[in-house]
Amino acid sequence: HTAALAIVYNKESNKQRFLYHDPNGEHYTGHSDSIICIARHPTGSIFATGEVGKNPKLIVWSSSDPRRPLAILQGFFKFGINSCTFSRDGTMVAAVGLDPDHSLAIYRWNTGTLLTSAKGSQEMILQVKWSPFQDYIVTLGVKHCRFWSTEPFKYRKALFSRRGKLQTMLCATFPGPDTTIVGTQDGSLYLFKGFQLATNVKQCHQVTQAVCATRDVVVS
């Protein structure tokens, strides 16, 4: 994506399609301000994108026809939507806003129903991720690491041992059930079992900005 434009590129045909805002269009609309987050649906062909703005939109759309959004979710978030994530079954989408409380919300996106919401943190939340194995959500940010149950929608703060400390948390991945790997500002990788820090790899980078894992391999 670039500015307010979401782009689908077909490398076989070398062609592009776009999700864009058409103020004169009757049947579809896209983003009216810059896109600042994107999430992929478990099917791999549906995406959610969030924008910056006073009354931002979270748009769910298909790569097969990005001109016609599947859902436009608007009204809850203020000032921007800086991270979003789909549930493991793909029926729900969670996102975090740029309001002073960095509020969180979960939608059933195909009906546009706001299912639940909560205040996130007064510190900046940088990422929200939904486990593909269980119904729990992780939020990460400036001195922020919380694990959220979805029913009820409430959190437990990460518990640290002598192996690590609360600092700015930047990224996360899920190698298996009840297991979360988090990348930190000091370049470490923290492995949580549930919400408790189990082990870590200290300062393997200057800053750990991205992490991906399978059951056997971690790439960061």
Side-chain angles (χ1 to χ4, degrees):
H1 57 81
T2 179
L5 190 69
I7 304 164
V8 178
Y9 172 64
N10 187 320
K11 65 180 182 180
E12 295 180 356
S13 63
N14 196 32
K15 292 182 178 180
Q16 296 178 337
R17 287 176 291 181
F18 307 98
L19 169 71
Y20 63 95
H21 180 62
D22 181 2
N24 300 316
E26 296 181 1
H27 303 294
Y28 59 87
T29 186
H31 289 284
S32 50
D33 215 324
S34 295
I35 298 169
I36 55 175
C37 67
I38 187 169
R40 188 173 68 171
H41 190 274
T43 62
S45 60
I46 294 173
F47 296 84
T49 42
E51 66 183 21
V52 71
K54 188 175 180 179
N55 186 27
K57 289 177 284 190
L58 181 65
I59 301 180
V60 181
W61 49 277
S62 172
S63 59
S64 62
D65 189 2
R67 299 177 306 164
R68 301 181 183 276
L70 303 175
I72 298 177
L73 309 172
Q74 191 174 24
F76 174 80
F77 294 107
K78 304 298 179 186
F79 308 120
I81 301 165
N82 70 325
S83 184
C84 57
T85 181
F86 283 101
S87 62
R88 60 178 179 149
D89 65 1
T91 63
M92 294 172 283
V93 62
V96 60
L98 289 176
D99 59 284
D101 292 316
H102 300 99
S103 298
L104 292 154
I106 297 177
Y107 284 90
R108 190 171 300 282
W109 62 264
N110 63 338
T111 63
T113 305
L114 177 61
L115 299 176
T116 188
S117 63
K119 292 181 179 180
S121 172
Q122 292 191 342
E123 298 284 2
M124 174 70 79
I125 296 178
L126 302 172
Q127 189 173 74
V128 56
K129 293 272 297 222
W130 205 311
S131 169
F133 298 99
Q134 295 160 283
D135 280 327
Y136 74 89
I137 292 169
V138 178
T139 53
L140 307 167
V142 177
K143 295 184 178 179
H144 177 96
C145 183
R146 295 178 180 178
F147 296 81
W148 299 73
S149 61
T150 56
E151 291 184 4
F153 192 42
K154 62 181 183 179
Y155 68 84
R156 300 190 73 168
K157 293 182 179 180
L159 289 183
F160 296 87
S161 64
R162 289 177 295 177
R163 295 186 178 92
K165 63 181 180 179
L166 181 61
Q167 57 180 295
T168 298
M169 308 295 194
L170 298 171
C171 53
T173 189
F174 306 94
D178 206 34
T179 305
T180 308
I181 296 175
V182 173
T184 69
Q185 188 177 33
D186 74 355
S188 300
L189 291 171
Y190 287 0
L191 187 148
F192 289 88
K193 298 298 277 186
F195 59 93
Q196 296 182 316
L197 179 61
T199 189
N200 72 357
V201 179
K202 291 185 177 180
Q203 298 178 337
C204 48
H205 308 285
Q206 288 187 337
V207 179
T208 305
Q209 297 184 351
V211 61
C212 182
T214 65
R215 291 182 182 272
D216 304 311
V217 177
V218 177
V219 179
S220 65

